[in-house]
């Protein structure tokens, strides 16, 4: 860089020298002039350099201003970026929370789905078992329906047979008093109830003539109708027997003996022995109280039960498949 102080001192000395020209030699004077000219050139050069330096300084200031503007713009951009970064961080935090919550919910959902699948599997298995059971039940129902239809025919045939037998018995025994002899149908069986006064004397096991007639007429009907078994039941009142013997100790013995006497007459009248039985029930199946004479008379009875081979038990066994 040009030393402006040195140039100024040189110009000052040259001026002084010119002023004092009268006091110095010509040579010295010429040297001073030459020195002045050189200094003038240096001054000019220095001014030119100064101008250039000022221009450069101006440009530098302009660049500084631009840099300041750029720095301010960068600062503004930095602040915007910082704010945007904070927004993005907040969004990221929220998204991360939602993601974690979604993962937690996904875990619970997976557990729920697994539980639902397990329950669905169990329900499917139960449904399959139910389906098989329903198929088995439907098949069993079809079998039972077939049995019911078959039994309806059997029962209808049985009822026709029972009603026909009862009608024949009513006609055969219509001459006897209703108090002495009754015919009725109970539970698919025909009950012929005969009072003891029609058959026996007091305490006797010998059948009277009127009783034998009734039994003979009854046997004619029984023989004419196949498909029935005969059960003869003897019943007494609760009065103890008055005549004791080796074979007659109580009402049990009396009821059995009387039932056996009836059976013998029916056998003699042609009823098959394989289709008849004698049963003694003593005093234990009364039809009324034993505290009156009339009540005791009703309880002393013989019941001849005509049992069709198609009984209620037989029907039940067929329905049950046995």
């Amino acid at each position: 860089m040009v030393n402006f102080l040195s140039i100024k001192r040189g110009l000052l000395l040259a001026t002084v020298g010119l002023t004092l020209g009268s006091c110095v030699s010509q040579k010295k004077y010429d040297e001073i002039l030459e020195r002045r000219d050189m200094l003038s050139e240096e001054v000019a050069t220095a001014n030119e350099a100064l101008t250039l330096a000022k221009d450069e300084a101006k440009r530098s200031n302009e660049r500084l201003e631009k840099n300041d503007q750029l720095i301010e713009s960068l600062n503004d951009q930095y602040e915007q970026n910082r704010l945007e970064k904070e927004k993005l961080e907040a969004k990221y935090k929220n998204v991360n929370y939602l993601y974690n919550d979604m993962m937690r919910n996904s875990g619970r959902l997976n557990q729920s789905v697994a539980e639902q699948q397990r329950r669905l599997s169990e329900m499917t298995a139960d449904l399959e078992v139910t389906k098989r059971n329903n198929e088995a039940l439907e098949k069993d129902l079809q079998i039972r329906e077939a049995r019911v239809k078959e039994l309806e025919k059997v029962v209808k045939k049985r009822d026709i047979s029972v009603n026909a037998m009862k009608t024949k018995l009513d006609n055969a025994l219509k001459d006897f008093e209703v108090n002495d002899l009754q015919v009725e149908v109970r539970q698919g069986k025909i009950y012929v109830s005969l009072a003891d006064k029609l058959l026996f004397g007091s305490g006797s096991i010998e059948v009277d003539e009127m009783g034998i007639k009734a039994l003979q007429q009854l046997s004619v009907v029984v023989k004419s109708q196949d498909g029935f078994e005969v059960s003869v039941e003897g019943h007494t009142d609760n009065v103890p027997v008055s005549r004791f013997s080796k074979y007659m100790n109580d009402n049990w013995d009396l009821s059995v003996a009387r039932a056996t006497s009836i059976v013998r007459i029916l056998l003699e009248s042609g009823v098959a022995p394989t289709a008849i039985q004698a049963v003694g029930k003593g005093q234990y199946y009364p039809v009324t109280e034993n505290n009156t004479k009339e009540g005791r008379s009703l309880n002393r009875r013989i019941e001849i039960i005509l049992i069709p081979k198609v009984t209620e038990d037989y029907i039940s066994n067929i329905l049950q498949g046995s």
Side-chain angles (χ1 to χ4, degrees), residues 95-300:
V95 169
N96 188 56
Y97 173 79
L98 293 176
Y99 172 77
N100 291 332
D101 186 63
M102 182 185 69
M103 292 303 293
R104 288 191 297 270
N105 291 334
S106 175
R108 289 192 293 268
L109 181 61
N110 289 336
Q111 292 178 352
S112 178
V113 169
E115 178 64 19
Q116 294 297 328
Q117 289 177 340
R118 184 187 65 79
R119 293 179 61 187
L120 180 60
S121 297
E122 291 179 352
M123 291 174 65
T124 302
D126 291 342
L127 182 62
E128 185 63 26
V129 172
T130 302
K131 181 180 178 182
R132 290 196 297 269
N133 290 339
N134 287 340
E135 290 174 351
L137 287 173
E138 184 177 358
K139 185 177 180 180
D140 183 65
L141 181 60
Q142 292 174 351
I143 294 173
R144 286 180 174 271
E145 286 177 349
R147 288 174 180 167
V148 168
K149 290 180 180 180
E150 178 184 356
L151 285 172
E152 285 176 349
K153 296 178 181 179
V154 172
V155 171
K156 185 177 181 180
K157 183 177 179 181
R158 183 203 67 180
D159 291 342
I160 293 173
S161 177
V162 167
N163 291 331
M165 172 68 84
K166 182 179 183 301
T167 299
K168 289 181 179 181
L169 289 171
D170 287 335
N171 293 330
L173 303 173
K174 64 182 179 180
D175 296 333
F176 295 92
E177 296 291 335
V178 67
N179 292 332
D180 295 336
L181 189 151
Q182 294 180 351
V183 181
E184 61 180 341
V185 176
R186 300 199 301 263
Q187 297 179 343
K189 304 173 185 178
I190 301 173
Y191 285 77
V192 181
S193 182
L194 300 99
D196 73 328
K197 64 182 179 180
L198 175 65
L199 301 171
F200 306 101
S202 177
S204 174
I205 63 172
E206 298 293 331
V207 180
D208 293 340
E209 183 178 351
M210 184 62 69
I212 293 174
K213 180 181 178 181
L215 294 172
Q216 288 174 340
Q217 292 178 2
L218 183 145
S219 66
V220 171
V221 177
V222 172
K223 289 186 296 182
S224 68
Q225 191 81 21
D226 294 332
F228 284 86
E229 295 178 348
V230 182
S231 178
V232 180
E233 293 183 356
H235 296 268
T236 69
D237 57 22
N238 63 348
V239 177
V241 296
S242 58
R243 288 181 293 177
F244 293 95
S245 68
K246 182 179 179 181
Y247 304 103
M248 188 72 64
N249 295 316
D250 53 25
N251 283 323
W252 278 114
D253 292 337
L254 178 60
S255 64
V256 172
R258 285 183 169 182
T260 303
S261 296
I262 301 299
V263 167
R264 287 197 177 96
I265 294 173
L266 293 176
L267 292 175
E268 291 172 356
S269 300
V271 177
T274 56
I276 194 168
Q277 63 177 342
V279 179
K281 292 201 171 183
Q283 66 197 45
Y284 300 103
Y285 293 87
V287 294
T288 187
E289 299 292 335
N290 283 300
N291 51 11
T292 64
K293 181 179 179 180
E294 291 77 11
R296 289 190 294 273
S297 177
L298 291 174
N299 290 331
R300 295 191 302 270

Side-chain angles (χ1 to χ4, degrees), residues 4-17:
F4 292 101
L5 292 177
S6 298
I7 294 172
K8 286 181 178 181
R9 284 196 298 269
L11 288 175
L12 179 60
L13 291 175
T15 301
V16 172

